[in-house]
Amino acid sequence: MAGSGAKERHHRQLTHRKASSRASLASPIEVLFPPMPTESLAFVIPVIFVAYTVFGMTGFGAAMVAVPVLVQFIPLQLAVPLVVLFDLTCTALVGGRNWRRVSLAEFKRLLPWMLLGIALGVTLLRDAGARWPLILLGAFVLVVCIQGLRGARGGPKPPLKPIWAFPFGVFGGVFSALFGTGGPIYTIYLSRRLDALEQFRATISVVILLSGIVRAAAFGAAGMYSNPDILRAAAVLLPVALIGLYAGSRFRTRVSPELLKRSIFVLLAIAGAGAIYRGWMSPA
């Protein structure tokens, strides 16, 4: 009996050592950014499809739709780098046709502050806990929804002064890196600086595309793409995003713009409230 007990203790010790060895082999990236559970894909796939169908129909808004819903199923630190890869691919496919109409003056004015904001946002995404980023994301989404559902009131607004490139560039960069949702911030600034619609569209397209390139590079430099599970998830989900993009482009003229707009804002409001709840219930 004593020999049997000694064997059991020895077996437990070996098992503990093997588990400790496996834990010690886990890289810091795997600890910071855990892999996506396979069962989560059942929820993530339709979210990505709907988000990029919206992108195909409107030319923007995929991250605003996707990220607040994705964080209900996967960590923010996994959702944002994934959506950046998809945004970059889809924006490159549909954009760039009118780049000669870009306002270089406004682009140069925004660029340095946008880069500063992205650097700050990547640092926050990598190091911050879950609670306050999720609450901030939900609050931002709800504000955008309220403004969108109310519509424009009070007639045309006066143009912004060039100095406003600083706060809009920084906050747009922070929100782009932290949540993938900086597009509305850039849009507010540029729509108050550029009167010509085609020039505005061309400029915002280039700003968002460059933002995606810089964010992807920054995430790579921060080690966020070092986890092979993120790249495997991207390989599975990118075709879903492209199918959604194609579907949205096909159905763009078959859906009432007003109905589409209101449906998107209602969906976003629900997702934003869910992000606030999830953040509030997360450990600080």
Side-chain angles (χ1 to χ4, degrees):
M1 295 291 291
S4 176
K7 287 181 180 179
E8 288 180 5
R9 284 195 300 273
H10 181 66
H11 177 72
R12 284 197 298 268
Q13 289 172 353
L14 285 176
T15 303
H16 178 72
R17 287 173 186 168
K18 289 178 181 178
S20 300
S21 176
R22 285 194 297 269
S24 65
L25 290 175
S27 69
I29 295 301
E30 290 171 330
V31 174
L32 284 172
F33 309 107
M36 181 190 298
T38 303
E39 58 270 19
S40 296
L41 284 173
F43 301 99
V44 171
I45 286 174
V47 173
I48 294 295
F49 176 78
V50 170
Y52 285 91
T53 299
V54 170
F55 185 96
M57 298 176 78
T58 64
F60 62 92
M64 283 289 293
V65 173
V67 174
V69 182
L70 289 178
V71 296
Q72 313 301 319
F73 309 108
I74 62 176
L76 181 69
Q77 290 88 348
L78 178 58
V80 173
L82 279 174
V83 171
V84 166
L85 291 177
F86 306 151
D87 266 359
L88 187 56
T89 303
C90 293
T91 304
L93 286 174
V94 303
R97 288 188 286 268
N98 297 309
W99 286 8
R100 283 180 289 185
R101 299 184 181 182
V102 170
S103 170
L104 291 178
E106 294 301 337
F107 179 75
K108 292 176 181 178
R109 204 170 276 132
L110 269 178
L111 181 60
W113 309 122
M114 181 178 74
L115 295 178
L116 174 61
I118 288 173
L120 293 173
V122 170
T123 302
L124 288 171
L125 181 65
R126 184 186 61 190
D127 299 334
R131 169 174 287 184
W132 293 112
L134 285 174
I135 291 173
L136 184 60
L137 168 63
F140 174 69
V141 169
L142 288 179
V143 169
V144 170
C145 290
I146 292 169
Q147 292 295 325
L149 289 170
R150 287 175 59 191
R153 294 186 179 182
K157 296 179 174 59
L160 291 173
K161 294 182 178 180
I163 190 64
W164 283 96
F166 166 64
F168 278 94
V170 171
F171 281 103
V174 169
F175 273 78
S176 290
L178 197 54
F179 308 125
T181 57
I185 299 175
Y186 301 135
T187 299
I188 293 170
Y189 172 79
L190 289 173
S191 66
R192 299 275 297 277
R193 291 289 301 166
L194 300 173
D195 293 328
L197 182 59
E198 291 303 321
Q199 189 180 41
F200 163 75
R201 286 177 175 171
T203 306
I204 192 65
S205 296
V206 171
V207 166
I208 292 175
L209 179 59
L210 180 65
S211 172
I213 293 171
V214 174
R215 281 179 289 151
F219 289 154
M224 294 184 180
Y225 294 126
S226 298
N227 185 350
D229 290 288
I230 290 182
L231 299 181
R232 281 195 289 267
V236 171
L237 295 170
L238 180 58
V240 177
L242 294 176
I243 292 170
L245 178 68
Y246 175 77
S249 64
R250 295 284 293 177
F251 289 105
R252 183 170 50 200
T253 59
R254 303 183 186 182
V255 179
S256 162
E258 187 62 27
L259 175 62
L260 176 64
K261 172 185 171 182
R262 291 190 172 275
S263 299
I264 291 171
F265 282 133
V266 169
L267 173 64
L268 283 174
I270 295 170
I276 292 174
Y277 174 78
R278 186 175 177 85
W280 189 257
M281 298 302 293
S282 299

